[in-house]
Amino acid sequence: MKVIDKRGKKQANDWQVGDVVCFWEDVENKKYAIITHISQEDGYGLTNLGANAGTEHVLFADTPSSVIDILIDRGFHFEKVNAKLVIE
């Protein structure tokens, strides 16, 4: 038997629309958001998945990876969450 990896050649820093991000300044106050494509004019941003759901309008960027770069510039720690969004 042979194992074939069909997951593709993604890099650790290869962020895409739909990726869930956990980010925080204080480890006790973690936030979860999903990378979304807001509009052609605004580009990409983070949409909160917590109790205060909504768009983080201050995080608009040209690409999904640029959204993460903004988090880094603002001093946030972050990690990609192995998650799947289910809407019912």
Side-chain angles (χ1 to χ4, degrees):
M1 178 169 41
K2 186 162 103 175
V3 176
I4 301 172
D5 186 359
K6 293 189 173 187
R7 291 177 290 179
K9 304 295 181 204
K10 281 188 168 183
Q11 301 285 331
N13 59 355
D14 186 18
W15 295 88
Q16 299 178 1
V17 171
D19 284 344
V20 177
V21 182
C22 176
F23 62 100
W24 65 93
E25 287 178 298
D26 175 22
V27 74
E28 299 295 322
N29 190 20
K30 290 186 175 184
K31 297 180 183 178
Y32 293 88
I34 190 168
I35 296 177
T36 54
H37 185 247
I38 307 300
S39 69
Q40 292 294 349
E41 296 82 30
D42 294 328
Y44 299 87
L46 289 177
T47 301
N48 288 331
L49 296 176
N52 298 325
T55 303
E56 290 279 350
H57 65 279
V58 295
L59 294 178
F60 289 153
D62 293 333
T63 66
S65 293
S66 298
V67 172
I68 302 304
D69 292 339
I70 292 172
L71 288 177
I72 293 169
D73 290 345
R74 294 187 180 182
F76 284 97
H77 302 280
F78 67 92
E79 62 189 10
K80 189 180 285 190
V81 177
N82 186 13
K84 178 179 176 183
L85 180 63
V86 177
I87 299 174
E88 296 181 343

